[in-house]
Amino acid sequence: MDTSDYIAAGALIVALFSAVFALFSYSVANEALKISKQQHKERYKTVEPYLMEAYKWYKEEDTYISFALRFINKATITNSIVNVELHLEYFDKSQVFGKAKIEPCFDVNPLNIADNKKTLELPLILSEKSAESGWITFKLPDIFKKNLNVDLYKIHATTTNGEVVSIDTHIINTVQNEK
């Protein structure tokens, strides 16, 4: 064997070592990419709303609807609920379909509801992987007392990143005033 053969064999060994090292580096980088993608998914998961209870109640001449809600932040970063609206789908006496949007009343507490949930205030700041629950109350316009039948109550909550999460119900229990 000549010197050139030894040099060629050494170069082959170095090339094989480099190829093995490159494959190992590729494998490690691929695993790191998978972990980064998973962390990114976890970081930007959504806020999930849950309806616990819903009541219609009356105070003096006004009609209110109160919802006991739970908002769960599934992300690994803080998120907030910055706006909540009640969207109603209704029919009038001649079966004409309509929609309405109502803002919450934060100065009214649910009447005759005996549990220890608090009233939610906006913005509702949700820490990472946490949940907040409480009551949100809406005052129905007077036209809903006699002339309209509500078919669907839908709560839309907007997060800080502009995402809208919603929950809906067709049935609302009525609480009678104590005299």
Side-chain angles (χ1 to χ4, degrees):
M1 270 178 89
D2 284 342
T3 308
S4 63
D5 291 336
Y6 288 118
I7 293 173
L12 176 64
I13 291 171
V14 169
L16 289 175
F17 178 74
S18 295
V20 169
F21 187 73
L23 287 173
F24 177 73
S25 295
Y26 171 77
S27 174
V28 169
N30 199 22
E31 277 301 310
L33 178 63
K34 286 180 185 176
I35 291 169
S36 290
K37 283 182 178 179
Q38 182 62 32
Q39 286 175 338
H40 182 75
K41 277 184 183 176
E42 291 287 324
R43 186 173 180 89
Y44 295 103
K45 282 189 173 180
T46 62
V47 172
E48 290 187 10
Y50 290 96
L51 176 66
M52 297 185 303
E53 298 177 73
Y55 293 104
K56 181 189 291 186
W57 54 279
Y58 307 94
K59 183 176 180 183
E60 298 166 2
E61 297 297 316
D62 297 325
T63 304
Y64 295 93
I65 297 181
S66 295
F67 296 92
L69 301 172
R70 177 178 304 242
F71 291 101
I72 300 174
N73 182 12
K74 298 213 168 207
T76 57
I77 61 171
T78 301
N79 203 343
S80 299
I81 302 293
V82 294
N83 187 30
V84 175
E85 299 171 336
L86 176 62
H87 293 231
L88 302 173
E89 295 180 6
Y90 61 87
F91 293 94
D92 64 9
K93 290 183 179 182
S94 59
Q95 297 301 313
V96 175
F97 178 76
K99 292 183 178 185
K101 181 170 47 172
I102 302 171
E103 297 292 325
C105 298
F106 292 106
D107 57 342
V108 178
N109 290 326
L111 183 69
N112 294 339
I113 298 173
D115 68 16
N116 56 5
K117 292 180 192 72
K118 65 180 181 177
T119 300
L120 295 177
E121 296 179 9
L122 297 179
L124 178 62
I125 300 171
L126 300 166
S127 300
E128 58 277 351
K129 299 279 185 178
S130 69
E132 287 286 329
S133 60
W135 290 98
I136 295 181
T137 300
F138 300 88
K139 179 182 173 188
L140 288 179
D142 291 336
I143 194 167
F144 282 93
K145 288 182 184 176
K146 298 178 184 174
N147 300 331
L148 303 174
N149 294 320
V150 177
D151 181 48
L152 181 66
Y153 301 85
K154 185 176 277 194
I155 297 172
H156 284 240
T158 307
T159 63
T160 51
N161 60 1
E163 179 183 17
V164 176
V165 293
S166 64
I167 190 163
D168 54 53
T169 183
H170 291 279
I171 300 172
I172 302 287
N173 297 320
T174 300
V175 176
Q176 298 300 323
N177 293 347
E178 295 178 4
K179 305 250 178 187

